[in-house]
């Protein structure tokens, strides 16, 4: 079984402040982890992924995420938030089990960056 | 990054008609394609997974005769909503992935279906 928890419904942050969006996961084996962003009435845009190697992953638009196996977390971070970062963010996991095709998504976090 | 297109972006139809949505991977070969449905302010619900040339695998509770999926080539999948009803109104998003197990799933821009 695989699942993702995004505990906060909405994250409010002032422009220029650090942004953190939390994600924890549960898998039977080892995970592939992803972050996506969705703007209103649009599909999901890929931000970054963790497959293997360095725990700190850098992605698009200045975002990064840190894989923490002991805490089963993959929090998304950005050092200085922009108003244009206001959107819906989804964390996703895919268990590396053989033949597993599916991504499990979290419920999503609405990020609001206040000017 | 890889690009997935969807057409149409919006469609309004009368109850009882059928609607076809196309999903194309523009710059990579998609061995696996996915169809999702999303309700307002909610996460994505996987409807079905398809591999090129094979029958789609539907998730529990999704009617395969109502939501017909054809993955005819490595760059094209279609979803046909047959005999649409107002409760089928939703945002439908396709996604595509290349062959590798570490490959990223890329998403189309979505199709807003409204059934009157």
């Amino acid at each position: 079984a695989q699942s993702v928890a995004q505990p906060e419904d909405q994250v409010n942050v002032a422009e220029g402040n650090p942004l953190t969006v939390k994600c924890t996961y549960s898998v039977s084996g080892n995970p592939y982890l992803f972050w996506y962003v969705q703007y209103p009435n649009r599909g999901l845009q890929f931000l970054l992924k963790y497959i293997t190697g360095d725990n700190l992953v850098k992605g698009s638009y200045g975002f990064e995420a840190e894989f923490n196996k002991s805490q089963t977390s993959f929090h998304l971070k950005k050092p200085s938030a922009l108003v244009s970062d206001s959107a819906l963010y989804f964390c996703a996991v895919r268990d590396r089990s053989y033949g597993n095709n599916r991504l499990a998504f979290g419920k999503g976090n609405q990020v609001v960056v206040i000017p | 990054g890889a690009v997935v297109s969807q057409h149409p972006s919006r469609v309004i139809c009368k109850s009882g008609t059928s609607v076809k949505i196309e999903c194309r991977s523009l710059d990579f070969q998609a061995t696996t394609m996915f169809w999702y449905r999303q309700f307002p302010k909610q996460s994505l619900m996987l409807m079905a997974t398809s591999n090129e040339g094979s029958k789609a695998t539907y998730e529990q509770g999704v009617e395969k005769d109502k939501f017909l999926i054809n993955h005819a080539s490595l760059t094209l999948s279609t979803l046909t909503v047959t005999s649409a009803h107002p409760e089928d109104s939703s945002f439908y998003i396709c996604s595509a992935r290349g062959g590798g197990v570490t490959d990223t799933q890329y998403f189309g821009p979505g199709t807003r279906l409204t059934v009157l």
Side-chain angles (χ1 to χ4, degrees), chain A residues 14-51:
Chain A
E15 186 177 23
N17 281 4
L19 169 63
T20 298
V21 189
K22 295 180 180 177
C23 170
T24 57
Y25 66 89
S26 175
V27 294
S28 303
N30 290 308
Y32 298 129
L33 291 155
F34 304 82
W35 273 102
Y36 292 88
V37 60
Q38 184 180 32
Y39 294 95
N41 296 310
R42 303 291 297 172
L44 276 64
Q45 292 180 32
F46 169 70
L47 283 178
L48 51 79
K49 67 180 177 183
Y50 170 81
I51 301 298

Side-chain angles (χ1 to χ4, degrees), chain A residues 32 34 36 38 41-46 49 51 88 90 94 100-103 105-108 110, chain B residues 32 34 36 38 42-44 46 49 51 59 91 93 97 101-109 112:
Chain A
Y32 298 129
F34 304 82
Y36 292 88
Q38 184 180 32
N41 296 310
R42 303 291 297 172
L44 276 64
Q45 292 180 32
F46 169 70
K49 67 180 177 183
I51 301 298
L88 189 57
F90 288 100
R94 188 165 80 235
N100 179 28
N101 253 334
R102 294 192 192 91
L103 277 178
F105 285 91
K107 65 180 181 179
Q110 185 67 48
Chain B
T32 308
F34 307 83
Y36 293 86
Q38 186 180 32
Q42 292 191 24
S43 190
L44 282 71
L46 180 64
T49 303
N51 292 304
E59 295 299 299
F91 193 54
I93 307 176
R97 198 181 77 211
V101 293
T102 62
D103 279 10
T104 300
Q105 225 175 284
Y106 293 97
F107 288 80
R112 173 74 59 193

Side-chain angles (χ1 to χ4, degrees), chain B residues 34-89:
Chain B
F34 307 83
W35 286 94
Y36 293 86
R37 186 171 176 176
Q38 186 180 32
F39 293 99
K41 300 192 181 295
Q42 292 191 24
S43 190
L44 282 71
M45 182 191 82
L46 180 64
M47 299 174 66
T49 303
S50 71
N51 292 304
E52 184 262 340
S54 302
K55 287 185 179 180
T57 301
Y58 289 81
E59 295 299 299
Q60 192 172 7
V62 178
E63 297 177 59
K64 63 180 181 180
D65 294 330
K66 181 165 187 64
F67 298 100
L68 300 178
I69 291 169
N70 187 331
H71 191 164
S73 74
L74 285 172
T75 59
L76 173 64
S77 176
T78 59
L79 168 67
T80 301
V81 183
T82 62
S83 187
H85 290 284
E87 57 266 29
D88 299 325
S89 298

Side-chain angles (χ1 to χ4, degrees), chain A residues 24-87:
Chain A
T24 57
Y25 66 89
S26 175
V27 294
S28 303
N30 290 308
Y32 298 129
L33 291 155
F34 304 82
W35 273 102
Y36 292 88
V37 60
Q38 184 180 32
Y39 294 95
N41 296 310
R42 303 291 297 172
L44 276 64
Q45 292 180 32
F46 169 70
L47 283 178
L48 51 79
K49 67 180 177 183
Y50 170 81
I51 301 298
T52 188
D54 285 343
N55 290 341
L56 183 63
V57 178
K58 294 187 184 295
S60 307
Y61 312 119
F63 284 95
E64 60 186 31
E66 185 162 15
F67 170 60
N68 187 318
K69 188 172 183 177
S70 63
Q71 297 185 4
T72 62
S73 67
F74 191 56
H75 301 330
L76 181 70
K77 297 183 181 184
K78 185 170 183 178
S80 177
L82 302 173
V83 173
S84 58
D85 293 328
S86 299

